């Protein structure tokens, strides 16, 4: 399994297959950390400041399409334990990790490198990825790694808690936009995946990239960053760094929220760059609609505005999205009215 970068020892020279064409390189990858990215504090969400906090979430989702959340209710201890489990997994012997290597998109647990199209890529991304399906938990947990010890117990607890957190954020968005309570529960958020990216130190971060610029196709995403900066968001045509705040989650509305809100909410374009000296491990969680649920702008959000998108199933959208090389605007164009 030497195609996994997590199996490599210290790399002194960037392999040719990881060197991107000049127009796709990050160049000056060490962009400034933005102080304008909204930070939402949920500590007083059940107090008199609730409405103010909700409006902060709506504004951040409209203007930036990305925000950080602190005091979110998931314990720092659980976050640190979960991160440690994944770091230990990527440090495991190659023979152990080989058990989970798969390019099957439908696998409950799969480990791969770069993308699921590794064999046919002209150039590879500097990352390994471990993806779990994790809801309903009982359908998937037996497919997860059983080592390190307590892996399944810790990661299961984390999966449950971050799902609660994301459903809470969605409920606050309902409150702020005038949608009926629990609008996003059920089929719109039926599936949940946990996606862990691991990037080893890179000998030339200016010539390669950890993950291409993209928008998330799902309903909503969140990221636990760890302590190494690498996430960047596109704001007003410029890349800005998203600071890794201790104990914070980064929340990114997905393209389905953009459609359901009839374009009122944004979904930030983001990418991942590499680091010269440090490994970087991040934990992403995605809430994903069921494949056959009908997605369209919510009637109550139209008002006097014209409907921007026709209805479609998530399966139809995702097929269009991947068929257009994961280009958000090209995929959305097909469904515009």
């Amino acid at each position: 399994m030497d195609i996994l970068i997590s199996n490599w020892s210290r790399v002194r020279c960037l392999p040719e297959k990881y060197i991107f064409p000049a127009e796709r390189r990050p160049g000056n990858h060490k962009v400034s950390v933005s102080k304008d990215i909204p930070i939402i504090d949920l500590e007083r969400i059940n107090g008199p400041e609730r409405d103010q906090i909700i409006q902060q979430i709506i504004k951040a989702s409209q203007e930036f399409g990305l925000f950080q959340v602190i005091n979110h209710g998931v314990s720092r201890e659980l976050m640190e334990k979960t991160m440690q489990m994944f770091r230990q997994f990527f440090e495991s012997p190659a023979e152990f990790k080989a058990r989970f290597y798969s390019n099957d998109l439908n696998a409950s647990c799969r480990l791969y490198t770069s993308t699921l199209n590794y064999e046919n890529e002209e150039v590879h991304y500097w990352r390994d990825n471990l993806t779990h399906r994790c809801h309903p938990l009982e359908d998937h947990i037996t497919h997860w790694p059983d080592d390190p010890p307590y892996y399944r117990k810790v990661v299961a607890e984390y999966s449950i808690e971050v799902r609660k957190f994301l459903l809470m954020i969605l409920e606050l968005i309902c409150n702020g936009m005038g949608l009926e309570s629990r609008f996003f529960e059920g089929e719109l958020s039926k599936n949940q995946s946990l996606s862990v990216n691991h990037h080893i130190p890179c000998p030339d971060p200016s010539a390669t990239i950890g993950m291409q610029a993209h928008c998330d196709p799902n309903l909503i995403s969140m990221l636990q960053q760890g302590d190494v900066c690498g996430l960047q968001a596109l704001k007003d045509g410029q890349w800005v760094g998203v600071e890794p705040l201790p104990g914070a989650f980064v929340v990114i509305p997905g393209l389905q929220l953009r459609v359901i809100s009839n374009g009122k909410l944004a979904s930030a374009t983001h990418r991942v760059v590499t680091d010269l000296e440090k490994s970087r491990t991040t934990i992403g969680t995605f809430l994903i609609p069921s494949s056959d649920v009908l997605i369209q702008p919510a009637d109550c959000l139209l008002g006097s505005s014209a409907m921007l998108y026709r209805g479609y199933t998530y399966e139809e959208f995702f097929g269009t999205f991947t068929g257009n090389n994961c280009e958000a605007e090209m995929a959305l164009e097909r469904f515009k009215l």
Side-chain angles (χ1 to χ4, degrees), residues 107 109 116:
C109 180
L116 293 174

Side-chain angles (χ1 to χ4, degrees), residues 15 25-26 76 83 94 124 141 153 156 165 194 199:
R25 296 177 190 176
R76 183 80 67 89
M83 181 65 76
H124 304 313
I141 191 170
K153 179 179 184 297
F165 162 71
L194 191 151
H199 315 270

Side-chain angles (χ1 to χ4, degrees), residues 34-62:
S34 175
K35 299 300 181 184
D36 297 326
I37 295 175
I39 300 172
I40 312 296
D41 188 345
L42 294 185
E43 185 174 18
R44 297 180 175 84
I45 191 60
N46 293 317
E49 298 176 28
R50 180 181 178 86
D51 289 344
Q52 179 184 347
I53 295 170
I54 289 173
Q55 289 310 309
Q56 290 174 357
I57 292 173
I58 299 300
K59 183 178 180 182
S61 300
Q62 291 172 333

Side-chain angles (χ1 to χ4, degrees), residues 86-97:
F86 289 126
R87 286 173 175 161
Q88 288 181 32
F89 174 84
F90 283 107
E91 292 169 359
S92 298
E95 295 76 13
F96 174 75
K97 286 183 288 189

Side-chain angles (χ1 to χ4, degrees), residues 71-175:
N71 295 317
H72 40 64
V74 181
S75 75
R76 183 80 67 89
E77 180 184 13
L78 178 59
M79 292 173 67
E80 292 173 353
K81 281 183 178 179
T82 307
M83 181 65 76
Q84 185 60 30
M85 287 291 136
F86 289 126
R87 286 173 175 161
Q88 288 181 32
F89 174 84
F90 283 107
E91 292 169 359
S92 298
E95 295 76 13
F96 174 75
K97 286 183 288 189
R99 292 165 45 190
F100 304 96
Y101 191 89
S102 173
N103 288 325
D104 180 4
L105 186 63
N106 295 313
S108 284
C109 180
R110 64 182 182 273
L111 172 67
Y112 60 95
T113 192
S114 186
T115 74
L116 293 174
N117 194 36
Y118 178 87
E119 298 297 334
N120 299 314
E121 292 173 346
E122 293 183 5
V123 62
H124 304 313
Y125 298 106
W126 192 260
R127 72 153 185 172
D128 289 344
N129 178 275
L130 176 67
T131 292
H132 289 170
R133 290 176 180 241
C134 46
H135 185 80
L137 189 61
E138 60 273 14
D139 291 348
H140 304 291
I141 191 170
T142 56
H143 300 283
W144 296 0
D146 53 6
D147 191 65
Y150 304 109
Y151 180 103
R152 291 180 180 177
K153 179 179 184 297
V154 170
V155 176
E157 182 180 355
Y158 181 87
S159 299
I160 292 168
E161 291 302 308
V162 296
R163 181 176 179 84
K164 290 178 184 176
F165 162 71
L166 283 173
L167 289 175
M168 176 179 64
I169 293 293
L170 289 170
E171 183 68 4
L172 296 175
I173 289 174
C174 287
N175 297 164

Side-chain angles (χ1 to χ4, degrees), residues 241-274:
V242 182
E243 183 179 7
L245 298 177
F249 289 140
V250 179
V251 175
I252 307 173
L255 291 175
Q256 305 317 307
L257 271 179
R258 179 171 162 184
V259 170
I260 292 169
S261 70
N262 203 40
K264 293 179 174 65
L265 302 183
S267 182
T269 299
H270 52 287
R271 70 180 186 183
V272 176
V273 295
T274 59

Side-chain angles (χ1 to χ4, degrees), residues 14 58 125 187 199 215 299 326:
L14 188 64
I58 299 300
Y125 298 106
E187 295 300 308
H199 315 270
C215 292
D299 290 340
C326 301

